[in-house]
Amino acid sequence: MNNPLTILKQTYGYGQFRGQQAGIIDHVVQGGSAFVLMPTGSGKSLCYQIPSLCREGVGVIISPLIALMQDQITALEQLGISAGAINSGMPYGEVLRVRQKLENNQLDLLYVAPERLVMEEFLELLDQVNIALFAIDEAHCVSQWGHDFRPDYTALSLLARRFKGIPRIALTATADKATRKDIVDRLKLGDGKTFVGGFDRPNIHYSILERNNPKKQVFDFIKNNHSEDSGIIYCISRKKVEDMAEWLQGKDINALPYHAGLTPQVRSRNQDRFLREDNIIIVATIAFGMGIDKPDVRYVAHMNIPKSIEAYYQETGRAGRDGLPSNAYMIYGMDDAAMQRNWIENSEAPDIQKRIENQKLNALLGLCEAAICRRQILLEYFDDTGEPCGNCDTCDTKPETFDGTIAAQMALSAVFRTGQRFGMVYVVDVLMGKVDDRIQRFGHDKQSTFGIGDKLSKNEWQNIFRQLVSQNLLMVDVNEHNGIKITEKGFLFLKKKESVNFRKLTEKQKAKKEKSGKKSKVVLDNDLDQSLYENLRTARQQMAKKRRVPAYVIFNDKTLIELAQARPQSFEEMLGISGIGEAKLKKFGQTLLDVILTG
Ligand code: ADP
Ligand code: ZN
């Protein structure tokens, strides 16, 4: 049996295991099952790839995205690993060829989609071959509590019964507590071990600001921080995607649209260009991104809020897999929240699921309105902890806050006295003492709360109401025409006479926030290193083009940076560079040496 550390060094070219990799790999190599929760970019793939190489037989990887399997396979082939995929998108001849290899025991790794795996015919094929392990990637898809439930995944519970004794390893980067438990139950991993890595992505800078001029805000963010980088911009609808992509193209930016309404050809062409070329921006709905493991995405921008913190975390997590500085930038407005609430209410889901989704949305709004470190809130959400990070907008510039206790008491009692059934605009009018037909008709102009809030402007009251909702003291009831109600927490707040702080929104602060984000271009200290780095990038692009693979499949930026700094002069020295293993040295070593020696 091969030794994991030897494989890490010789095949992958890495010096040591990171975080919990070694423990997980040992456990699975010994035949144990595992549930692995680790952040994007932390190296989950190695946790099933290396055990597959160590153990007898083929590692079967279940992954939802067939469109990306081919790229994963080419990347493995560059490492000298024999991998194949079987899926419905392949020509029949190709399926037969992979099948043949499988039956001849010539594959190290086999990628399949869940719907294929559970077909009886396919299971019978697997019965006949030696299987090293099953890896269930994006395992949160198995859970209804997760944020991307896929019914096909539920059938995977049969693996435990049908393939007794073969280790199963389920991996995900995003799952709250309920989701974790559900994954372990459904995949019957109770006898296995759970590995939960920290959630932190220290290289990502977070900033979240109010939306006032969406296109220009995002454009300025890109111009100021990322003029030559690859990035993803998320929009809420197909129409908004088209609109933004076109607008950016008009400004001479390489922006390409991606959403489910485009033809499969256009989608895969745009995705391909994003993966293969430098400096392409994808403007997309959430249809884009799962399984994209391009390591040098330098930023993810959201023009609308996603539906939960998990979704936000997963989407922003697509930035900076290579560990180099990257940005997560989001602009938000309360109309986003109203739209999301409507979707939840109008969906066919059972009530309990709707309640869960509403809570998830509240947590996300809380993150948006927060006056404390964003990273702390994110980490806490996943039961992780951390100090204020110094690498997010609220750490960069502490938001001004004010004591909102009295205002909150006024707002809540106005909501209560008007019967907890009117919308925000109406209640604010009552507070400000506005006289109109409706208010008079309901007799609300005669109540004690009428006009008690006339010291604050309409904008200030709306800001307060938003934060009351995001802090979960008030809720918007979409079933009752968006009527505002007091939550349990809100009643407690009144009863216990608690105090509350709100985030101030001054014009000055808004202007400052436009500069949000952090420069993250790779700049090496010394001019010579920098020009060698640029030359190495060009060489990488040529090698990638020749093989028709994405540049990062050849080497990632980190490897090139190390090469430019260490300037190895021989094949032997080159093996000391992180990311250069034996197969890659053979394929690309001479080209790199030529660049270093002549440059
Ligand atoms: P995940 O699946 O958790 O998002 P990946 O498996 O794609 O992460 O790994 C992210 C990057 O880190 C990849 O480029 C991978 O080759 C690299 N990597 C993984 N493990 C190590 C290690 N022990 N040392 C150095 N780089 C590593
Ligand atoms: Zn912070």
Side-chain angles (χ1 to χ4, degrees):
M1 205 192 271
N2 293 312
N3 171 305
L5 190 60
T6 315
I7 295 179
L8 182 76
K9 289 186 172 157
Q10 287 178 354
T11 306
Y12 293 87
Y14 298 140
Q16 64 241 0
F17 285 116
R18 284 203 306 226
Q20 308 197 53
Q21 278 177 333
I24 298 166
I25 290 169
D26 272 346
H27 176 73
V28 177
V29 168
Q30 306 293 333
S33 288
F35 169 59
V36 173
L37 177 63
M38 296 198 316
T40 307
S42 59
K44 285 188 292 300
S45 331
L46 262 57
C47 296
Y48 57 80
Q49 288 173 5
I50 292 185
S52 300
L53 298 173
C54 291
R55 287 174 63 87
E56 185 101 11
V58 61
V60 179
I61 321 303
I62 299 138
S63 152
L65 273 181
I66 56 181
L68 295 160
M69 285 180 186
Q70 199 46 52
D71 271 350
Q72 286 168 317
I73 288 162
T74 13
L76 289 161
E77 280 167 354
Q78 306 309 313
L79 297 169
I81 295 171
S82 161
I86 293 188
N87 63 51
S88 50
M90 292 162 52
Y92 190 59
E94 179 64 13
V95 174
L96 283 184
R97 209 176 56 81
V98 176
R99 234 187 121 123
Q100 193 72 58
K101 276 191 177 173
L102 180 66
E103 284 167 338
N104 294 345
N105 268 322
Q106 290 166 329
L107 283 183
D108 297 317
L109 292 167
L110 175 68
Y111 284 78
V112 285
E115 60 272 20
R116 163 73 59 151
L117 181 97
V118 299
M119 285 179 183
E120 190 50 37
E121 192 204 347
F122 192 79
L123 291 168
E124 279 167 20
L125 172 65
L126 289 183
D127 283 338
Q128 292 159 37
V129 300
N130 226 338
I131 297 173
L133 58 83
F134 289 100
I136 299 119
D137 206 4
E138 313 283 359
H140 55 272
C141 294
V142 80
S143 168
Q144 262 162 327
W145 308 146
H147 58 95
D148 193 17
F149 175 57
R150 297 191 174 213
D152 281 331
Y153 259 69
T154 49
L156 296 176
S157 59
L158 67 78
L159 291 176
R161 265 176 285 130
R162 178 143 184 163
F163 299 93
K164 285 200 177 72
I166 296 177
R168 283 161 289 121
I169 171 169
L171 310 101
T172 175
T174 40
D176 61 12
K177 259 198 179 149
T179 311
R180 281 178 229 173
K181 185 172 172 316
D182 206 26
I183 295 172
V184 170
D185 287 349
R186 283 179 186 264
L187 296 177
K188 312 213 165 25
L189 294 167
D191 295 338
K193 242 174 140 168
T194 291
F195 297 87
V196 179
F199 282 82
D200 196 12
R201 300 285 312 279
N203 59 314
I204 298 183
H205 178 278
Y206 297 96
S207 50
I208 302 177
L209 34 147
E210 252 202 291
R211 189 166 58 227
N212 45 46
N213 190 351
K215 287 179 180 149
K216 183 167 182 313
Q217 282 174 295
V218 172
F219 176 76
D220 288 347
F221 160 74
I222 295 172
K223 272 282 156 228
N224 289 335
N225 303 292
H226 294 289
S227 51
E228 285 163 36
D229 295 333
S230 302
I232 304 173
I233 299 175
Y234 282 113
C235 303
I236 201 153
S237 64
R238 297 172 185 187
K239 197 170 158 292
K240 291 231 155 99
V241 165
E242 297 278 350
D243 190 33
M244 182 65 179
E246 210 167 282
W247 187 81
L248 286 172
Q249 285 159 9
K251 301 218 165 253
D252 267 343
I253 287 186
N254 288 330
L256 302 174
Y258 189 105
H259 58 71
L262 295 167
T263 62
Q265 290 85 335
V266 173
R267 265 193 325 234
S268 79
R269 193 173 63 222
N270 290 352
Q271 174 172 304
D272 253 35
R273 284 194 58 195
F274 175 70
L275 294 176
R276 281 164 178 56
E277 296 172 33
D278 289 334
N279 191 14
I280 298 275
I281 295 172
I282 281 279
V283 185
T285 59
I286 50 166
F288 181 78
M290 203 209 271
I292 296 277
D293 47 12
K294 182 176 169 66
D296 54 359
V297 177
R298 286 277 73 84
Y299 61 93
V300 171
H302 280 90
M303 299 187 71
N304 302 88
I305 57 170
K307 59 185 179 171
S308 64
I309 289 190
E310 286 108 306
Y312 173 75
Y313 196 70
Q314 183 167 61
E315 284 152 25
T316 55
R318 291 174 184 139
R321 272 176 180 251
D322 53 12
L324 298 171
S326 307
N327 273 311
Y329 175 91
M330 175 157 78
I331 49 177
Y332 75 102
M334 274 300 126
D335 41 336
D336 287 346
M339 191 141 55
Q340 299 268 9
R341 294 245 195 257
N342 266 321
W343 282 342
I344 297 172
E345 287 317 313
N346 295 331
S347 79
E348 312 267 281
D351 280 357
I352 170 135
Q353 179 134 13
K354 289 184 180 176
R355 274 206 294 282
I356 291 170
E357 287 181 17
N358 269 313
Q359 279 168 20
K360 288 187 186 225
L361 182 57
N362 288 342
L364 182 76
L365 294 173
L367 172 71
C368 295
E369 300 279 354
I372 61 168
C373 171
R374 310 273 188 201
R375 192 179 313 269
Q376 276 187 313
I377 299 176
L378 285 172
L379 294 181
E380 250 161 47
Y381 183 81
F382 295 108
D383 292 317
D384 197 352
T385 51
E387 296 296 300
C389 72
N391 194 28
C392 73
D393 57 348
T394 46
C395 281
D396 296 342
T397 322
K398 187 111 196 73
E400 279 184 72
T401 56
F402 63 96
D403 182 348
T405 309
I406 306 255
Q409 287 166 349
M410 285 180 185
L412 264 59
S413 69
V415 169
F416 187 73
R417 286 180 196 283
T418 51
Q420 305 195 68
R421 58 201 175 97
F422 292 91
M424 175 170 79
V425 175
Y426 182 90
V427 183
V428 168
D429 282 348
V430 170
L431 277 165
M432 295 182 69
K434 190 169 159 198
V435 185
D436 75 9
D437 284 359
R438 246 176 118 210
I439 290 179
Q440 282 175 326
R441 190 151 28 97
F442 288 111
H444 292 149
D445 55 337
K446 308 259 167 2
Q447 287 179 339
S448 58
T449 45
F450 184 75
I452 51 169
D454 59 357
K455 299 275 175 313
L456 297 180
S457 70
K458 195 169 166 184
N459 277 343
E460 285 170 306
W461 273 118
Q462 293 192 346
N463 175 36
I464 289 169
F465 270 82
R466 246 195 355 247
Q467 297 192 54
L468 285 167
V469 171
S470 72
Q471 296 195 20
N472 202 22
L473 298 176
L474 289 178
M475 62 167 282
V476 179
D477 191 341
V478 263
N479 283 331
E480 305 267 339
H481 312 284
N482 289 339
I484 295 190
K485 295 202 158 104
I486 303 176
T487 61
E488 215 171 300
K489 198 175 156 200
F491 280 116
L492 275 178
F493 165 82
L494 289 175
K495 197 166 146 217
K496 293 191 177 163
K497 299 203 163 42
E498 289 170 7
S499 61
V500 62
N501 277 327
F502 293 127
R503 190 178 165 142
K504 235 189 227 173
L505 278 175
T506 62
E507 284 311 310
K508 221 168 86 208
Q509 230 176 335
K510 269 188 198 155
K512 225 189 290 169
K513 278 193 279 175
E514 300 302 346
K515 290 201 203 83
S516 258
K518 205 170 207 183
K519 283 231 186 303
S520 67
K521 191 172 156 42
V522 173
V523 183
L524 302 183
D525 291 344
N526 149 341
D527 279 352
L528 268 176
D529 289 351
Q530 183 72 31
S531 78
L532 178 52
Y533 175 68
E534 306 292 345
N535 292 344
L536 288 165
R537 273 174 79 98
T538 312
R540 174 178 68 177
Q541 190 69 47
Q542 284 163 357
M543 294 186 278
K545 240 193 178 137
K546 203 167 115 197
R547 289 176 168 73
R548 303 217 183 96
V549 297
Y552 65 81
V553 161
I554 308 285
F555 291 113
N556 64 30
D557 290 352
K558 259 193 167 159
T559 302
L560 297 193
I561 292 172
E562 241 190 274
L563 280 169
Q565 285 166 338
R567 299 172 178 257
Q569 308 286 312
S570 67
F571 271 32
E572 210 181 350
E573 282 175 31
M574 237 178 231
L575 277 178
I577 303 288
S578 170
I580 304 189
E582 284 170 0
K584 284 195 176 174
L585 183 72
K586 226 191 220 154
K587 288 196 180 86
F588 314 116
Q590 194 55 52
T591 311
L592 294 180
L593 256 191
D594 290 346
V595 175
I596 293 171
L597 296 176
T598 57

